[in-house]
């Protein structure tokens, strides 16, 4: 900034003492010598300005990208630990938009916007000092449009923020729509709904475009007004300064230097007006980023959380009530004791609360009332890392990551040896079909397990749980996607796996729960029956009714086949 203020001032001696001196002036040799000195100083100042500008750009690029990386990493870290209820209320595409688009908008401002703000502010202060030092009366005319420029920029800043917030909101909606429709592309094509989805996309894209038009139009009006005020200020200086030169109250060199400073003075003001647009976008993005960072997880370690390096597996529900929405309970007054090493089967119609029960044991959600205890310790007082390291789950909807089969099996235990991975695959009855793949355990599978059948994916998920070696094992419809023969083999493997572990199983095929120590029958969020498979059949209650319904459905399927 200091070197940038030097060249305009050199115009004063260059004009008054070298090019157009008044009176007899200096001899030609002296003027030539002074010309060389002034040009050399001007050249050196420009070289130093260029070097410092390059250093400034290098440092700003490193610092801005580093800060953005830190924000993006912190945002992703925070998202990893936010409660599942946070994602229940938001579309995945809007969350991805916060990580990619909003942090990218911040990056532009941090890399270039902040340095421009600082440099232009210093330029305005430095130029203002030079103008008042050279001619304070003329400097007042320069500042005449400044209050109007500030008022105009401030007025449009609030309107721009409103439009930009709306723009980012609609951009997030568009990302969410893309994520949803591309994930469900098979369903779209199965029902020939491509034209409908194209129409829906065009509608959302057009809404985003209209908001973008509002932003750019508001900015165009504001910038045009600011440019007009800047031009009027320059015209005033030419008129008032020109009169002072004509009446010999100011030298021509002083006026030329003054006009150069005026051009430099309004340049930063114009740049700061651009920063109004830039900062509005960045602040809107920052609000969306910090909205996530400021969100506290509903499920987190208590201040007095206790370490539990080894869980025995005793689970107790005491008057537990829970609902994903507070006024709509899914589980109501649940009381249940599960002993270490016991296998419990959860039975009930769809929506009865079976999956919700295991979600609470994993502490994906906290209960609304009552409490859950493990080994006599309230669940919310156990460190989450200790709890989840000792719980293995095979979910109903199997999810596999992009990577090799071996990497997916060892996901919960990255340091596992190849022998441990193969042993887990054999227990899950996955070893044989893995060897039939082109690269065996090193076969790369696509996102979500592309390239594998539903049964194969489920067996890899079981192997993943086996390798995890949990104290509490949760099987949520673990055999729902396999044929009868594979199911029989998996049941044999599970029988070996559950030994010495507390196991909670949910099964679509009620016959697969015959080996459970007890069955817990849920109906409309309440426990209505507890007992062994045979005991519940003899009672001819809710479980008997479910078995009869299952047999009727099985007979219908057999006839259809």
């Amino acid at each position: 900034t200091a070197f940038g203020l030097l060249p305009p001032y050199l115009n004063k001696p260059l004009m008054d003492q070298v090019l157009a001196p008044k009176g007899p002036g200096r001899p030609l040799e002296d003027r030539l010598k002074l010309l060389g000195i002034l040009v050399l100083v001007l050249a050196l100042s420009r070289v130093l300005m260029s070097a410092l500008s390059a250093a400034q750009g290098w440092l700003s690029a490193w610092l801005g990208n580093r800060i953005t990386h830190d924000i993006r990493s912190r945002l992703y870290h925070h998202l990893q630990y936010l409660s599942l209820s946070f994602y229940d209320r938001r579309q995945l595409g809007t969350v991805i938009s916060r990580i990619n688009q909003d942090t990218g908008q911040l990056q532009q401002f941090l890399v270039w916007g902040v340095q421009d703000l600082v440099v232009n502010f210093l330029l305005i202060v430095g130029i203002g000092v030079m103008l008042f030092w050279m001619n304070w009366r003329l400097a007042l005319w320069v500042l005449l449009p400044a209050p109007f420029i500030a008022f105009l920029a401030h007025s449009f800043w609030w309107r721009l923020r409103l439009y930009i917030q709306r723009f980012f909101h609609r951009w997030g909606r568009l990302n969410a729509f893309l994520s949803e429709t591309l994930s469900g592309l098979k369903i779209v094509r199965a029902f020939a709904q491509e034209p409908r989805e194209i129409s829906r996309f065009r509608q959302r894209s057009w809404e985003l475009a209209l908001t973008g038009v509002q932003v750019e139009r508001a900015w165009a009006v504001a910038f045009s007004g600011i440019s007009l005020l800047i031009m009027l200020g320059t015209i005033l200086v030419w008129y008032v300064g020109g009169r002072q030169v004509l009446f010999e109250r100011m030298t021509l060199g002083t006026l030329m230097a003054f006009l150069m400073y005026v051009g430099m003075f309004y340049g930063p003001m114009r740049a700061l007006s651009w920063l109004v647009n830039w900062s509005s976008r960045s602040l809107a993005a920052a609000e969306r980023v910090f909205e996530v960072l400021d969100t506290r997880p509903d499920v987190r370690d208590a201040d007095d959380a206790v370490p539990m390096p080894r869980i025995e597996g005793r689970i107790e529900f005491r008057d537990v009530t829970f609902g994903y929405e507070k006024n709509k309970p899914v589980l109501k007054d649940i009381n249940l004791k599960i002993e270490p090493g016991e296998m419990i089967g959860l039975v009930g119609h769809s929506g009865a609360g079976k999956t919700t029960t295991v979600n609470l044991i994993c502490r994906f959600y906290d209960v609304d009332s009552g409490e859950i205890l493990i080994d006599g310790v309230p669940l919310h007082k156990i460190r989450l890392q200790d709890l989840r390291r000792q719980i293995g789950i095979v979910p109903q909807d199997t999810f596999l990551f992009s990577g090799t089969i071996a990497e997916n099996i060892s996901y919960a235990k990255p340091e596992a040896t190849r022998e441990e991975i193969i042993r887990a695959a054999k227990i899950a009855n996955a070893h044989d079909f893995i060897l039939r793949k082109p690269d065996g355990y090193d076969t790369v599978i696509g996102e979500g397990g592309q390239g594998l059948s539903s049964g194969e994916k489920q067996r890899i998920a079981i192997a993943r749980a086996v390798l995890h070696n949990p104290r509490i094992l949760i099987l949520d419809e673990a055999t729902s996607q396999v044929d009868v023969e594979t199911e029989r083999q998996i049941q044999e493997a599970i029988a070996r796996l559950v030994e010495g572990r507390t196991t909670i199983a949910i099964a679509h095929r009620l016959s697969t729960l015959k080996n459970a120590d007890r069955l817990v029958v849920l109906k409309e969020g309440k426990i209505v029956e507890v007992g062994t498979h045979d005991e519940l059949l003899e009672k001819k209650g809710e479980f008997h009714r479910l078995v009869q319904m299952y047999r009727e459905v099985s007979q219908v399927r057999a006839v259809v086949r």
Side-chain angles (χ1 to χ4, degrees):
T1 302
F3 281 110
L5 295 175
L6 183 60
Y9 188 76
L10 294 178
N11 277 271
K12 185 175 181 296
L14 190 64
M15 183 69 68
D16 294 340
Q17 299 179 35
V18 177
L19 300 179
K22 288 191 175 182
R26 296 183 178 186
L28 180 61
E29 293 79 5
D30 292 345
R31 288 162 60 188
L32 286 170
K33 184 178 180 180
L34 181 59
L35 175 64
I37 293 171
L38 291 174
V39 170
L40 180 62
V41 173
L42 183 64
L44 287 174
S45 68
R46 292 295 183 184
V47 169
L48 286 170
M49 279 179 61
S50 298
L52 290 172
S53 178
Q56 172 190 335
W58 183 88
L59 181 62
S60 297
W62 180 87
L63 184 61
N65 281 280
R66 175 62 185 271
I67 292 173
T68 308
H69 163 73
D70 288 344
I71 293 175
R72 187 184 294 118
S73 298
R74 184 175 174 186
L75 183 62
Y76 184 76
H77 177 273
H78 193 68
L79 286 168
Q80 286 292 321
Y81 289 97
L82 280 178
S83 308
L84 292 182
S85 57
F86 174 86
Y87 298 96
D88 293 340
R89 299 189 297 267
R90 289 166 177 83
Q91 292 177 296
L92 184 60
T94 61
V95 178
I96 295 173
S97 177
R98 306 285 175 101
I99 300 174
N100 291 334
Q101 182 192 350
D102 294 343
T103 54
Q105 192 70 44
L106 271 177
Q107 178 176 350
Q108 294 180 16
F109 183 73
L110 292 170
V111 173
W112 305 114
V114 171
Q115 69 167 332
D116 285 350
L117 180 65
V118 174
V119 169
N120 286 305
F121 176 77
L122 291 174
L123 274 174
I124 287 174
V125 173
I127 294 168
V129 170
M130 295 298 294
L131 291 176
F132 275 91
W133 179 60
M134 293 174 65
N135 191 323
W136 68 270
R137 291 183 179 87
L138 190 56
L140 292 176
W141 287 96
V142 175
L143 295 178
L144 185 63
F148 300 99
I149 293 173
F151 174 77
L152 188 62
H154 182 268
S155 300
F156 274 91
W157 186 73
W158 291 103
R159 184 178 299 179
L160 270 175
R161 281 197 67 188
L162 177 64
Y163 290 151
I164 289 169
Q165 285 173 345
R166 189 181 301 163
F167 179 83
F168 279 118
H169 172 70
R170 289 183 175 175
W171 190 282
R173 286 183 58 199
L174 184 65
N175 282 337
F177 174 80
L178 281 172
S179 176
E180 182 180 25
T181 52
L182 293 179
S183 298
L185 199 57
K186 287 183 180 179
I187 302 300
V188 173
R189 291 185 176 175
F191 291 96
Q193 291 300 308
E194 293 92 342
R196 176 189 176 190
E197 297 304 330
I198 292 170
S199 176
R200 291 174 64 195
F201 176 82
R202 289 179 63 86
Q203 176 63 30
R204 282 167 170 75
S205 179
W206 180 240
E207 290 174 357
L208 178 65
L210 288 178
T211 310
V213 169
Q214 288 179 319
V215 172
E216 299 304 330
R217 281 179 175 174
W219 166 241
V221 172
F223 186 71
S224 298
I226 291 170
S227 297
L228 177 61
L229 290 172
I230 289 173
M231 189 181 300
L232 291 175
T234 306
I235 292 171
L236 284 173
V237 171
W238 267 106
Y239 179 74
V240 176
R243 286 176 59 89
Q244 291 187 9
V245 170
L246 292 175
F247 286 104
E248 298 186 350
R249 296 171 188 164
M250 179 190 294
T251 65
L252 181 61
T254 303
L255 178 61
M256 291 298 100
F258 202 94
L259 283 167
M260 287 191 70
Y261 278 125
V262 169
M264 290 179 64
F265 181 77
Y266 286 130
M269 292 197 71
R270 186 182 287 109
L272 289 177
S273 66
W274 272 101
L275 283 170
V276 169
N277 182 18
W278 214 348
S279 65
S280 297
R281 295 174 185 269
S282 299
L283 284 173
E287 284 180 0
R288 288 163 56 84
V289 168
F290 287 103
E291 177 194 354
V292 176
L293 289 176
D294 291 339
T295 301
R296 289 185 61 107
D298 297 331
V299 178
R300 57 183 181 273
D301 281 331
D303 295 333
D304 56 348
V306 297
M308 290 189 69
R310 180 173 174 81
I311 289 174
E312 294 299 323
R314 183 179 293 102
I315 305 172
E316 183 177 356
F317 284 70
R318 292 181 181 174
D319 300 320
V320 170
T321 296
F322 170 78
Y324 298 101
E325 298 178 26
K326 300 298 182 184
N327 58 340
K328 296 179 181 179
V330 178
L331 297 178
K332 307 165 190 173
D333 299 321
I334 299 296
N335 287 278
L336 178 66
K337 288 184 179 180
I338 304 172
E339 296 301 323
E342 189 176 15
M343 180 176 180
I344 295 293
L346 293 180
V347 181
H349 60 80
S350 179
K354 305 184 296 297
T355 300
T356 300
T357 301
V358 298
N359 282 343
L360 293 179
I361 294 174
C362 296
R363 208 186 164 204
F364 293 149
Y365 304 88
D366 277 336
V367 300
D368 295 334
S369 63
E371 63 178 352
I372 301 174
L373 298 92
I374 291 184
D375 296 348
V377 180
L379 196 61
H380 67 276
K381 290 191 175 182
I382 302 175
R383 286 195 316 193
L384 283 170
Q385 284 290 90
D386 289 341
L387 174 69
R388 290 175 182 164
R389 279 175 182 163
Q390 300 181 73
I391 293 181
I393 183 169
V394 180
Q396 180 177 0
D397 299 320
T398 303
F399 183 87
L400 300 178
F401 294 91
S402 299
T404 66
I405 292 176
E407 288 171 345
N408 272 279
I409 294 176
S410 63
Y411 184 76
K413 190 180 178 182
E415 72 281 4
T417 64
R418 182 55 62 98
E419 290 73 20
E420 291 175 318
I421 294 171
I422 293 173
R423 189 182 307 117
K426 287 181 177 179
I427 292 175
N429 195 38
H431 180 69
D432 292 340
F433 85 76
I434 292 174
L435 291 182
R436 289 195 294 268
K437 297 295 178 182
D439 297 312
Y441 284 85
D442 295 320
T443 300
V444 176
I445 57 178
E447 180 182 357
Q450 293 178 5
L452 298 177
S453 69
S454 298
E456 289 172 342
K457 288 191 289 186
Q458 203 130 23
R459 278 177 278 175
I460 288 177
I462 293 171
R464 183 168 58 192
V466 170
L467 187 61
H468 185 42
N469 193 26
R471 300 299 305 153
I472 297 174
L473 180 65
I474 294 173
L475 306 171
D476 187 357
E477 303 281 6
T479 60
S480 62
Q481 302 295 327
V482 297
D483 55 45
V484 176
E485 176 59 24
T486 303
E487 180 187 10
R488 182 187 63 79
Q489 296 175 358
I490 291 178
Q491 287 299 331
E492 293 174 358
I494 289 176
R496 297 190 298 269
L497 174 63
V498 301
E499 291 179 4
R501 294 181 176 86
T502 304
T503 305
I504 300 169
I506 302 171
H508 178 69
R509 298 170 183 171
L510 301 180
S511 58
T512 62
L513 296 176
K514 284 183 178 180
N515 295 329
D517 297 310
R518 284 187 297 160
L519 300 181
V520 177
V521 184
L522 292 166
K523 184 178 182 180
E524 297 178 355
K526 295 182 178 181
I527 295 178
V528 293
E529 291 178 343
V530 178
T532 65
H533 185 276
D534 295 336
E535 288 173 351
L536 294 181
L537 281 178
E538 290 177 5
K539 287 177 66 174
K540 295 192 176 181
E542 179 65 17
F543 180 73
H544 183 269
R545 186 182 70 83
L546 291 171
V547 170
Q548 292 298 114
M549 288 177 58
Y550 172 72
R551 287 174 179 170
E552 291 173 4
V553 171
S554 298
Q555 291 172 359
V556 170
R557 286 177 179 169
V559 170
V560 171
R561 289 173 183 171

